[in-house]
Amino acid sequence: MRSFVVGGAGFIGSHLIDRLIMRGPVTAYDNMSVGKREFLATHLASGQVTLVEADALDLDKLTAAMRGHDVVFHLAANPEARWGLERTRLDLEQGTIATYNALEAARLIRAKQFVLASSGTVYGNIDAACGEMDLGHLPISLYGASKLAGEAMVAAFAECFDLDGYICRFGNVVGPRGTHGAILDFCKKLKAHPDYLDVLGDGRQAKPYLHVRDCVLGLLFVLDHARGERPAVYNLAPGDQTSLKRIAALCVAASPNRHARIEFGTGAQGWRGDVPRSRLKPDKLAALGFRVGYSSDDAVRLAVGEVAREVFGSPV
Ligand code: NAD
């Protein structure tokens, strides 16, 4: 299997590549806007991975680099949903158009399988556990809108061009080498000012947190076991959720100053477009035989330790 990972130098991409190299050669394609060469350093040194530093918005370069690969993972996207509030074209370009380009390149080179990293944000603002068919509420952020548009394109390319398309809707992914997200934000803030932690929103936001190890195992499971659906859509997340209040408390406890004050904002949302409370039903993937190893609380607890070690530089 020859794998091509768009966004391969990023958080999830680099963890995915740690596993993909056991299946054959891998190319990471990344514009390095967020991704880091050091995440792939060992594999680059051993020659198991090739890194192409280029943009997914450049269709010619993307197609040329993708040639000769059979499986494409598309992980590149705007890393911060809230940036869409300031730059309204961001998700159109980095989400919708980049996904079109990845699909078009996969079509041109006749790739066999295409996996899209999507998100639970496609379900919109609904405080009920959502299964794959519960799309009645629609996304409330430009990021979520671009994910749903990308999903629709995977479905259309799969139908029109005989490409096996797979869509995984992740919960919030946590773990080492994170490039963004609440745990990293909180630890960085506590490093900058150890005495207090300000939290966007009232802290009652609660979401499913998926450890990156489970995320990677789930992606590979889908690739190996999902058959016959066009496209195959799966929630990839634990069924439970963890509150932001709990994450803040764990980050403070893991920081050098365990007595740091936590200052919550007001309002249910961290920012406009943020889905304050969400839950994903993992039943469809479970029926195929995959269950995540970590509950949301366990994933968060583990990840806080991992990220704290990276940010504060010593065991906690
Ligand atoms: P990340 O930002 O760490 O990784 C994305 C990588 O894509 C980065 O290395 C970045 O440099 C690269 N990239 C961005 N735009 C690019 C472009 N135009 N051309 C080439 N490379 C580009 O993010 P991640 O957390 O690893 O997320 C991977 C995917 O999973 C994204 O699509 C994201 O939307 C999705 N997802 C992530 C989470 C999460 O909590 N991390 C949750 C749901 C969905």
Side-chain angles (χ1 to χ4, degrees):
M1 167 173 149
R2 298 180 69 88
S3 308
F4 190 87
V5 186
V6 188
F11 167 43
I12 300 170
S14 63
H15 283 278
L16 175 64
I17 288 174
D18 289 345
R19 294 245 168 203
L20 283 176
I21 54 167
M22 297 170 204
R23 299 178 174 219
V26 181
T27 300
Y29 186 97
D30 202 299
N31 67 1
M32 309 308 277
S33 56
V34 175
K36 294 187 181 152
R37 178 171 270 272
E38 71 199 55
F39 289 170
L40 302 173
T42 323
H43 309 317
L44 293 171
S46 69
Q48 287 165 296
V49 172
T50 306
L51 173 62
V52 178
E53 294 189 27
D55 206 294
L57 294 177
D58 186 333
L59 179 58
D60 292 341
K61 273 194 189 156
L62 183 62
T63 309
M66 200 185 282
R67 228 168 265 293
H69 296 80
D70 13 84
V71 182
V72 177
F73 293 87
H74 179 49
L75 303 181
N78 162 24
E80 284 286 355
R82 66 188 143 171
W83 289 352
L85 291 172
E86 309 290 330
R87 296 167 56 195
T88 55
R89 283 190 71 84
L90 190 63
D91 290 294
L92 175 68
E93 288 167 356
Q94 300 300 325
T96 310
I97 297 174
T99 301
Y100 161 77
N101 280 357
L103 282 160
E104 175 64 353
R107 179 186 77 84
L108 290 169
I109 66 130
R110 297 181 196 282
K112 294 189 184 73
Q113 293 172 299
F114 185 99
V115 185
L116 175 70
S118 187
S119 150
T121 55
V122 296
Y123 296 113
N125 192 3
I126 172 167
D127 188 9
C130 291
E132 286 77 358
M133 301 308 288
D134 295 328
L135 284 171
H137 283 72
L138 295 175
I140 59 165
S141 64
L142 298 184
Y143 168 84
S146 79
K147 286 295 183 197
L148 194 55
E151 290 191 4
M153 280 190 292
V154 173
F157 269 79
E159 186 61 33
C160 297
F161 306 113
D162 282 331
L163 181 67
D164 282 341
Y166 308 89
I167 294 162
C168 290
R169 295 179 182 150
F170 305 156
N172 282 38
V173 187
V174 293
R177 295 183 214 151
T179 54
H180 51 92
I183 296 176
L184 185 64
D185 268 7
F186 289 173
C187 288
K188 280 185 172 169
K189 282 181 180 178
L190 285 162
K191 188 173 186 188
H193 41 74
D195 295 338
Y196 70 95
L197 173 64
D198 57 306
V199 175
L200 297 176
D202 61 14
R204 287 189 296 163
Q205 301 98 305
K207 305 182 186 188
Y209 287 85
L210 172 70
H211 196 273
V212 68
R213 274 187 227 159
D214 278 335
C215 181
V216 168
L217 292 176
L219 282 168
L220 295 175
F221 183 92
V222 164
L223 193 70
D224 293 339
H225 294 91
R227 290 284 175 274
E229 259 190 293
R230 200 167 251 187
V233 187
Y234 296 98
N235 286 341
L236 179 46
D240 59 343
Q241 53 180 193
T242 303
S243 72
L244 203 58
K245 205 174 258 187
R246 177 162 172 74
I247 295 175
L250 286 169
C251 289
V252 166
S255 76
N257 178 6
R258 286 154 197 246
H259 303 292
R261 193 173 77 246
I262 303 176
E263 293 172 2
F264 293 101
T266 52
Q269 285 178 306
W271 63 91
R272 280 186 85 170
D274 182 30
V275 175
R277 302 179 68 83
S278 65
R279 271 180 296 148
L280 302 181
K281 284 186 192 159
D283 307 3
K284 194 173 164 197
L285 212 42
L288 268 191
F290 180 82
R291 287 178 200 281
V292 295
Y294 299 100
S295 67
S296 185
D297 276 354
D298 286 347
V300 163
R301 201 175 312 112
L302 178 62
V304 166
E306 291 163 336
V307 174
R309 273 190 290 280
E310 291 177 336
V311 173
F312 304 120
S314 60
V316 285

